[in-house]
Amino acid sequence: MNHRHFIASFSYSSFLLFILKISYTSHFVATAFAISSTGGETTKKAVYLGIDVGTQGTKIVAYCPQEASIIATASRSYDVMPTEVTGRAEQDPSSTWMPAIEECLMEVGHTLQLEQQDDNAEPSSYRIKGIGVSGQQHGMVALDSQLEPLRPAKLWCDVEAVQEANDLKDYFHSQQGQGNLDFLTPSFTAPKILWMKRNEPELYDKAKWFILPHDYVILKLANLRRPITDAGDASGNGFFLAAKRENSPIIAQAIDQDSKGEQSGESNTSVLEKLPTILSPNQVTGILDDYYVQKLLPWTASGMKAANIKAIPVSVGSGDNMCSALGVGCVSPGQAVMSLGTSGTIFAVSKRPPSGTDPSSLAPFCDATGQYLPLACTISCTGVLTQVLKEWTDFSSHEEASKYAASVPIGCHGITFLPYLGGERTPNWPHATGAILGLTSSNFQYAKDPAVIYRACLEAITFLLANALEEFPNKNDIDTLLVVGGGAKNPFWQQMIADITNRKLIFPLETETAALGAAFQAGAAASGMAVEEYVKGQAQALKRSPDTVQPQNHKAYEEAAARFRQFGSNLFDKRI
């Protein structure tokens, strides 16, 4: 089905905002809204909100292009649902993500004094002109016909669907499928859907849609009648063929025809028809629903100045890695980003997708500009490090732990930590577990030293990222890494990364890169610009630290890195 793409265009006195409305039929209906500027509107500065819905919390940034800066932020924390099931990681979208967004919207609105718009108060100098959404990738949100979740969302770090991932890959190969699905892992959405069909058949039969976390947030914010997505986030769903920019009918057929597990009555609708429509990178999906407008602008609830309320367009959004690339200005080939969050990621913009048929674990994703974003993701990153800090040491913070770990020699006296507490994606070892190895009579005394174990964990996470970096086909062209995420603030870890990867590091000053990237996309969509060109025009906002970190101790780490690779390979695979 072909759909026309409508974008916004502005003039000095007014703008015509074409908003994509979704009809109750199978077709899209484009509805045009003519919105005129009144009441001194030209004196107000445009602000774009970027929402990042992550695994551990939600963040919102308010970005003002005229000031080239973030002028307000808000965040709320939450966690995955408690479980005793190995490999399971779930969250309830309606009781976790959306309440956090509501609270953040209210906080940002208050910070910007958006509520002060009545005749008796000094009006705010800002006006919200658009909203973009970044979301954790690969999750599965199953919706019923009323667009309500049927069950908690299975997250990217949920690896219950190991067998399903293997079965889908086997079927894909049996049908001589060609494309980028050869590396399919349990983290992706498609295996989770097959898992649901086999383990929760009654819920599966009720499912009208299978969407991603950011798709759900867009659906609710704009009160759409059917879900949409973008190529960037869709390229992590396990169906999507990046080179063709379409979902694979072979994977859908494998799920449709699967007869394993207890069946409760088959649906005649293919799973392919239950996936959201893919829109272009700078497309507007709808306008912010009144419910959320009132959270952001509480004065609208009483009807004051209703005539001056401006429609706030909601852009198509994307996955967190795609938005993070925008937020650091990584929109041209030759640039690479390393993100140190709950998971670790490395990605680089490319004009062409990787084949996806070589033995690497690179995910041949699309980016949020219309190009490609080859990406390696490690499940084991700051989440594991935080668990070691809390459960294995008495240190009060990562700063304190790093201070003591700095006194431990490189290689940790021969002690090797395998960080796979929740399995691993790169390499594809979903059944891998954590381990402390290399203990001998001569180093056993150090195993009880929390500084040694903390450093051994930090080295292991960094070795894992360095191994992933070596899988990029253009690795020799990457001499500098843009390092982002919470872990990027640690000077001790900064030097370790530079030394182990043997590359220079530079650091964007803005740490909330995914939220900022979502705001950039919102700006591009609202102004009708190509996303790549809009991001390049925000150079003043993409400031970087004047300090760089140069590698110094690469050779000293090589022995420990080789030991780490060998231990992992012996235990879990023949390859890393």
Side-chain angles (χ1 to χ4, degrees):
M1 178 167 54
N2 295 321
H3 305 294
R4 300 284 297 177
H5 293 167
F6 291 86
I7 58 176
S9 60
F10 287 83
S11 66
Y12 287 105
S13 61
S14 66
F15 64 87
L16 185 63
L17 178 59
F18 284 96
I19 298 172
L20 194 63
K21 286 279 187 176
I22 312 300
S23 74
Y24 288 110
T25 70
S26 61
H27 298 284
F28 289 104
V29 178
T31 305
F33 292 82
I35 305 174
S36 299
S37 301
T38 59
E41 171 69 12
T42 55
T43 65
K44 295 186 181 295
K45 298 177 182 178
V47 173
Y48 300 103
L49 300 187
I51 303 175
D52 178 35
V53 181
T55 313
Q56 296 179 316
T58 286
K59 311 175 189 70
I60 294 183
V61 302
Y63 172 68
C64 177
Q66 287 179 257
E67 298 181 13
S69 65
I70 291 174
I71 58 174
T73 63
S75 64
R76 293 295 183 274
S77 298
Y78 44 73
D79 205 345
V80 298
M81 299 172 66
T83 181
E84 295 183 357
V85 180
T86 302
R88 179 171 294 178
E90 298 179 339
Q91 288 173 336
D92 182 0
S94 57
S95 66
T96 303
W97 305 338
M98 301 314 297
I101 290 172
E102 290 179 27
E103 293 179 15
C104 289
L105 286 173
M106 288 189 288
E107 184 175 334
V108 168
H110 179 73
T111 300
L112 298 181
Q113 297 183 314
L114 297 180
E115 72 273 19
Q116 296 183 8
Q117 307 250 355
D118 60 86
D119 294 330
N120 298 319
E122 185 69 22
S124 171
S125 58
Y126 302 107
R127 187 173 294 281
I128 307 301
K129 291 294 188 71
I131 295 180
V133 176
S134 159
Q136 51 181 298
Q137 290 191 259
H138 309 312
M140 180 197 73
V141 184
L143 303 180
D144 63 18
S145 59
Q146 301 302 310
L147 303 179
E148 295 299 329
L150 284 164
R151 65 177 319 285
K154 296 186 82 65
L155 308 182
W156 63 272
C157 47
D158 185 303
V159 291
E160 281 194 275
V162 175
Q163 184 60 52
E164 287 72 20
N166 291 333
D167 289 347
L168 289 178
K169 284 191 289 187
D170 289 344
Y171 186 86
F172 189 72
H173 290 310
S174 73
Q175 301 299 308
Q176 286 78 50
Q178 296 182 352
N180 60 334
L181 300 179
D182 188 56
F183 68 101
L184 192 66
T185 74
S187 296
F188 281 60
T189 313
K192 293 175 169 64
I193 295 175
L194 181 55
W195 179 94
M196 183 179 175
K197 182 176 183 180
R198 291 176 176 177
N199 293 273
E200 300 172 344
E202 293 184 359
L203 287 179
Y204 178 86
D205 287 344
K206 294 178 181 178
K208 174 71 173 177
W209 300 100
F210 293 106
I211 65 176
L212 298 158
H214 117 265
D215 304 341
Y216 178 80
V217 174
I218 294 286
L219 181 76
K220 291 299 179 182
L221 289 179
N223 194 21
L224 301 179
R225 297 182 181 180
R226 61 185 295 166
I228 54 83
T229 192
D230 84 307
D233 211 4
S235 56
N237 67 11
F239 295 88
F240 195 76
L241 299 169
K244 295 182 178 180
R245 293 185 179 266
E246 63 183 31
N247 290 311
S248 168
I250 296 178
I251 293 296
Q253 186 179 56
I255 296 175
D256 294 339
Q257 296 179 357
D258 184 78
S259 59
K260 293 182 180 180
E262 184 178 340
Q263 303 300 308
S264 65
E266 292 294 322
S267 168
N268 293 324
T269 304
S270 170
V271 69
L272 202 62
E273 298 177 42
K274 298 181 179 182
L275 302 177
T277 298
I278 299 169
L279 304 185
S280 60
N282 69 336
Q283 193 157 349
V284 171
T285 65
I287 59 173
L288 187 65
D289 185 67
D290 287 347
Y291 176 83
Y292 296 101
V293 170
Q294 291 173 13
K295 299 296 180 181
L296 186 61
L297 313 170
W299 57 272
T300 62
S302 62
M304 292 189 303
K305 291 198 172 181
N308 285 339
I309 299 175
K310 305 302 176 186
I312 301 175
V314 180
S315 63
V316 68
S318 194
D320 52 2
N321 292 302
M322 294 75 198
C323 287
S324 187
L326 301 182
V328 298
C330 183
V331 294
S332 300
Q335 300 175 327
V337 178
M338 178 182 285
S339 177
L340 306 175
T342 308
S343 63
T345 54
I346 304 174
F347 46 82
V349 172
S350 172
K351 292 291 185 184
R352 295 180 297 175
S355 66
T357 57
D358 57 30
S360 83
S361 297
L362 281 183
F365 292 153
C366 296
D367 75 347
T369 72
Q371 301 177 91
Y372 299 95
L373 196 73
L375 179 147
C377 176
T378 62
I379 289 178
S380 310
C381 200
T382 62
V384 174
L385 190 65
T386 297
Q387 193 166 354
V388 168
L389 176 74
K390 291 180 177 179
E391 307 293 341
W392 208 290
T393 81
D394 293 326
F395 299 130
S396 60
S397 66
H398 287 293
E399 289 77 15
E400 182 184 7
S402 296
K403 176 183 177 181
Y404 285 94
S407 64
V408 176
I410 292 173
C412 302
H413 306 285
I415 295 174
T416 298
F417 186 99
L418 299 186
Y420 313 123
L421 303 188
E424 188 48 68
R425 173 172 158 184
T426 305
N428 184 19
W429 293 343
H431 289 307
T433 60
I436 296 176
L437 302 171
L439 297 177
T440 66
S441 58
S442 61
N443 69 11
F444 191 78
Q445 59 182 313
Y446 298 112
K448 63 181 181 181
D449 185 343
V452 171
I453 300 303
Y454 184 87
R455 176 168 187 141
C457 178
L458 198 58
E459 287 187 358
I461 293 169
T462 311
F463 291 148
L464 193 60
L465 289 164
N467 292 337
L469 181 60
E470 291 304 304
E471 295 193 358
F472 280 76
N474 63 333
K475 61 184 179 183
N476 294 329
D477 298 328
I478 301 173
D479 59 2
T480 302
L481 294 174
L482 282 163
V483 185
V484 301
K489 303 173 186 178
N490 185 333
F492 175 61
W493 199 3
Q494 291 175 1
Q495 188 61 60
M496 182 182 291
I497 294 170
D499 293 342
I500 291 175
T501 63
N502 201 30
R503 287 170 172 85
K504 180 176 66 175
L505 309 184
I506 58 178
F507 308 92
L509 293 179
E510 176 50 51
T511 58
E512 302 300 344
T513 55
L516 179 60
F520 284 170
Q521 187 202 61
S527 57
M529 292 180 63
V531 178
E532 180 180 358
E533 294 307 312
Y534 185 89
V535 172
K536 288 179 179 179
Q538 309 308 311
Q540 291 300 314
L542 297 169
K543 296 177 182 177
R544 297 169 180 173
S545 169
D547 300 323
T548 60
V549 178
Q550 300 283 358
Q552 299 172 357
N553 303 303
H554 180 66
K555 290 186 179 295
Y557 277 106
E558 287 183 331
E559 181 181 347
R563 190 169 64 239
F564 170 81
R565 289 192 295 270
Q566 190 62 53
F567 278 137
S569 179
N570 290 344
L571 283 173
F572 306 120
D573 203 352
K574 297 297 182 182
R575 169 192 160 270
I576 180 171

